[in-house]
Amino acid sequence: MSAKRAEITISKRKALIFVCFLGFAFGACIALIQTDRIPRGAGGSSLAAIQSSGTTEEKWLEDIHRLEKKVQELSKERDEALEKAAAQTEALEKQISAQSTSSAGQEKGKCIGRHTVWTPSAERNKKDPELAAFLEKVAINNEVLVAVSNINYAQKGGMLDVWMDGVKRAKVQNVMVVALDDETKKNVEERGLPAFRMTLEIPKSQKDAGSNHAVSALKFRILKRFLDLGYSVLLSDVDVVTLKNPFDHLVRDSDVESMSDGWDTQTAYGYNDVYDDESMGWARYAHSMRIFVFNSGLFYIRPSTATMAMLDKLIHRVETEKGWDQALFNECIFFPNSPKNQDPAVTRRVMDIHIFMNSKVLFKYLRHRPQEFGTTIPAMIHVNYHPNKFERMLAIVKHYVNGEKGALDEFPDGSE
């Protein structure tokens, strides 16, 4: 920053020296003109006497005209130099101001610099022109709701159809499906939603994880392409029922904003957990901070230096370790710097558990509280805790959309 200010100072000094030189020349010319126009000293000779000689008169008039022209030229050069110096100074000051905004003093409650959200640009579009052109048509305010699917979920009348019906019913306009095969792309487009075809190979480390988890592991590499172009993504698994436009319920104050697997205010938002080790006597109670995990099947992520660092780390771990993608997702978000870990240091927010709801909240707790159940309408419900996902999704639609009040009754709280 000091180097830039020094550059401005040098520019100002150069301009001042040049202007002084022009001023000196200008003054000298004026002095010559005035000298030639006043009476001479000894002998009483004057301009009137000189004018008596035609040849001498013409010579002096030519000299005066030439000097006046030179003064005009120097005045013009002076004005142009002043304008150029002013423009250079203004440009450098704007550059310093922009740098100060992104890297200097911070406003209370806001993260800047590493957490500054970047936006699409012509330069960024060059990195991935096909996806950039697609997103320019789909995204609203540089945000988009994205589901990733292959034909296993995209069969007509299947889970992806229920997902698409929900977002259309909630009038979500900035929505798309990343299709992992041609048949999925065709089915999505026939249902009236935009689909973008991507070909991705399941990492060797995830080939034995089962179809659901293997596909899920691909989404972090997909996300990186979106964020690199400057778009924020609300990523949704296809076992989600949308009842209201989710973009109306985001807070947008953190790098990652995620649905929780917690089922109440303690498990979702955090609590002080006390471990009792009786053998320690006086020091038997040890405190720890606990929070239940973020769900990697429903979260909002914004493009920043911090989130890109997190995705790079997460992609590496998913593609080299035989770990569950959701567990790795949370480790990259929550584990601090330590001798065994480098923290990407993303900022994070837990979504309201009654607006972005998991299926344990709904089936085990909420539906057994009649008054609260009757007044709570989530934006999205993720059927993440139960194996019979498709049937429960249909029952959720029957209850919240069709008004069938007993539609959820046939299902147990858990999986049995």
Side-chain angles (χ1 to χ4, degrees), residues 104-123:
Q106 69 182 44
E107 185 179 340
K108 184 178 180 181
K110 291 186 177 180
C111 297
I112 59 176
R114 181 172 174 78
H115 306 282
T116 299
V117 177
W118 57 61
T119 55
S121 66
E123 192 64 30

Side-chain angles (χ1 to χ4, degrees), residues 115-119 227-228 230-232 301-305 307-308:
H115 306 282
T116 299
V117 177
W118 57 61
T119 55
L227 268 61
D228 205 21
Y231 291 89
S232 297
I301 186 168
R302 306 196 297 176
S304 69
T305 301
T307 52
M308 291 298 280

Side-chain angles (χ1 to χ4, degrees), residues 110-356:
K110 291 186 177 180
C111 297
I112 59 176
R114 181 172 174 78
H115 306 282
T116 299
V117 177
W118 57 61
T119 55
S121 66
E123 192 64 30
R124 289 191 175 279
N125 290 349
K126 295 176 183 178
K127 300 179 180 181
D128 200 340
E130 185 181 2
L131 180 58
F134 187 91
L135 289 173
E136 284 179 352
K137 298 176 183 178
V138 175
I140 298 175
N141 297 326
N142 304 326
E143 296 178 324
V144 62
L145 171 61
V146 177
V148 180
S149 182
N150 60 16
I151 195 58
N152 291 339
Y153 306 105
Q155 297 288 349
K156 292 185 178 180
M159 197 179 296
L160 184 60
D161 277 3
V162 178
W163 185 90
M164 290 190 289
D165 288 342
V167 296
K168 289 194 289 185
R169 194 166 46 239
K171 295 182 170 52
V172 183
Q173 300 297 316
N174 49 333
V175 58
M176 62 177 287
V177 174
V178 172
L180 300 179
D181 51 67
D182 294 334
E183 192 173 353
T184 297
K185 183 175 185 295
K186 179 174 178 288
N187 290 352
V188 170
E189 290 174 340
E190 286 178 353
R191 297 278 298 190
L193 287 185
F196 187 83
R197 178 75 167 89
M198 287 191 188
T199 302
L200 295 167
E201 183 179 354
I202 294 174
K204 292 181 180 179
S205 60
Q206 301 295 324
K207 287 187 182 294
D208 299 327
S211 175
N212 185 27
H213 287 168
V215 170
S216 184
L218 298 173
K219 60 193 172 193
F220 303 115
R221 186 167 288 281
I222 293 170
L223 273 175
K224 186 178 178 181
R225 290 178 62 179
F226 283 75
L227 268 61
D228 205 21
L229 291 171
Y231 291 89
S232 297
V233 177
L234 177 57
L235 187 75
S236 169
D237 281 354
V238 297
D239 56 343
V240 172
V241 177
T242 302
L243 300 171
K244 296 188 290 189
N245 191 328
F247 290 102
D248 295 337
H249 302 277
L250 296 173
V251 180
R252 301 177 176 87
D253 66 347
S254 303
D255 295 321
V256 179
E257 192 169 343
S258 178
M259 187 197 87
S260 172
D261 274 2
W263 53 87
D264 55 26
T265 56
Q266 281 192 312
T267 55
Y269 307 145
Y271 65 100
N272 183 357
D273 185 47
V274 181
Y275 176 77
D276 183 7
D277 182 358
E278 189 175 355
S279 67
M280 289 296 293
W282 176 81
R284 63 185 292 178
Y285 301 112
H287 292 255
S288 66
M289 300 297 108
R290 289 198 64 187
I291 184 171
F292 279 59
V293 296
F294 280 6
N295 190 281
S296 61
L298 184 55
F299 65 94
Y300 174 76
I301 186 168
R302 306 196 297 176
S304 69
T305 301
T307 52
M308 291 298 280
M310 184 199 77
L311 286 177
D312 284 339
K313 180 174 184 176
L314 185 51
I315 290 167
H316 173 74
R317 293 195 62 186
V318 166
E319 295 183 356
T320 59
E321 300 177 24
K322 290 186 177 181
W324 180 26
D325 67 278
Q326 179 162 294
L328 298 176
F329 174 68
N330 279 271
E331 288 179 11
C332 288
I333 290 175
F334 287 104
F335 282 7
N337 284 322
S338 70
K340 60 181 293 186
N341 184 62
Q342 181 66 42
D343 181 15
V346 294
T347 57
R348 55 212 185 270
R349 166 176 282 273
V350 183
M351 291 172 165
D352 189 314
I353 61 174
H354 292 108
I355 296 176
F356 296 88

Side-chain angles (χ1 to χ4, degrees), residues 66-130:
R66 186 176 68 256
L67 288 170
E68 288 177 339
K69 185 177 179 181
K70 186 65 175 178
V71 168
Q72 291 175 354
E73 292 174 354
L74 291 171
S75 297
K76 184 179 179 181
E77 289 180 15
R78 177 200 63 191
D79 293 341
E80 289 176 350
L82 285 171
E83 289 177 4
K84 184 177 180 182
Q88 289 175 340
T89 300
E90 182 180 2
L92 286 169
E93 287 177 341
K94 283 182 178 179
Q95 185 177 353
I96 288 176
S97 177
Q99 291 175 347
S100 297
T101 300
S102 63
S103 62
Q106 69 182 44
E107 185 179 340
K108 184 178 180 181
K110 291 186 177 180
C111 297
I112 59 176
R114 181 172 174 78
H115 306 282
T116 299
V117 177
W118 57 61
T119 55
S121 66
E123 192 64 30
R124 289 191 175 279
N125 290 349
K126 295 176 183 178
K127 300 179 180 181
D128 200 340
E130 185 181 2

